[in-house]
Amino acid sequence: MTTAQTIEQLERQRFDAQVSQDFPTLEKIFADDLIYTHSNGHQDSKTSYLASIRSGQSRYDKVDIEDLTVRAYNDDRTAVVNGLIQIDLGPGADGQPAHTRIKYVVVYIKTDASGWQLVLWHAQKQAA
């Protein structure tokens, strides 16, 4: 399996884990020094981001990948992902389904000790 295929599979696994609140998988995928910048500019660490999922502040009912490009660097030990996703956020304040469309950049690094881990997420909202 190529690095690009491995990272694409890991991205899909991560989104599935965010939807299902599979915290052991998220703990493994997210590096301890994760910087997670949301589309509204709010920035989380690994600890604060996982807490926001646990509390329901960050909610994901469904994530659909519209586009995904993976580029490998540093002898296949670094990967940069550019993606476009549609997120179903559950019912909004008015009770109607809420959706958002996000362009994002992710950086993964591979270490001998931990394998592939996500170290950076940066998102920007797109027009529906």
Side-chain angles (χ1 to χ4, degrees):
M1 187 178 297
T2 68
T3 295
Q5 291 169 326
T6 298
I7 296 301
E8 182 175 341
Q9 183 179 46
L10 193 56
E11 276 291 88
R12 293 180 187 283
Q13 181 183 7
R14 176 176 67 91
F15 288 135
D16 288 346
Q18 285 175 256
V19 169
S20 66
Q21 296 190 2
D22 177 354
F23 293 105
T25 296
L26 294 173
E27 287 277 352
K28 182 179 176 187
I29 291 173
F30 293 148
D32 288 342
D33 62 347
L34 171 70
I35 297 173
Y36 197 102
T37 305
H38 297 267
S39 61
N40 65 3
H42 176 77
Q43 200 167 72
D44 273 310
S45 65
K46 175 180 180 175
T47 301
S48 63
Y49 181 56
L50 290 174
S52 77
I53 295 172
R54 281 187 177 94
S55 73
Q57 181 181 359
S58 294
R59 178 179 170 165
Y60 309 93
D61 283 5
K62 184 179 179 188
V63 178
D64 288 320
I65 298 172
E66 294 181 23
D67 190 38
L68 191 70
T69 303
V70 179
R71 294 172 290 146
Y73 298 98
N74 193 26
D75 295 325
D76 289 329
R77 298 189 71 77
T78 304
V80 177
V81 179
N82 294 92
L84 178 63
I85 56 176
Q86 171 83 25
I87 304 172
D88 293 346
L89 302 166
D94 61 0
Q96 297 300 311
H99 309 279
T100 190
R101 198 162 176 245
I102 303 276
K103 274 190 181 179
Y104 72 93
V105 176
V106 169
V107 177
Y108 281 90
I109 60 167
K110 184 179 184 181
T111 65
D112 293 335
S114 303
W116 286 107
Q117 288 194 302
L118 190 149
V119 296
L120 176 74
W121 161 275
H122 192 277
Q124 179 182 21
K125 285 185 183 177
Q126 301 297 296

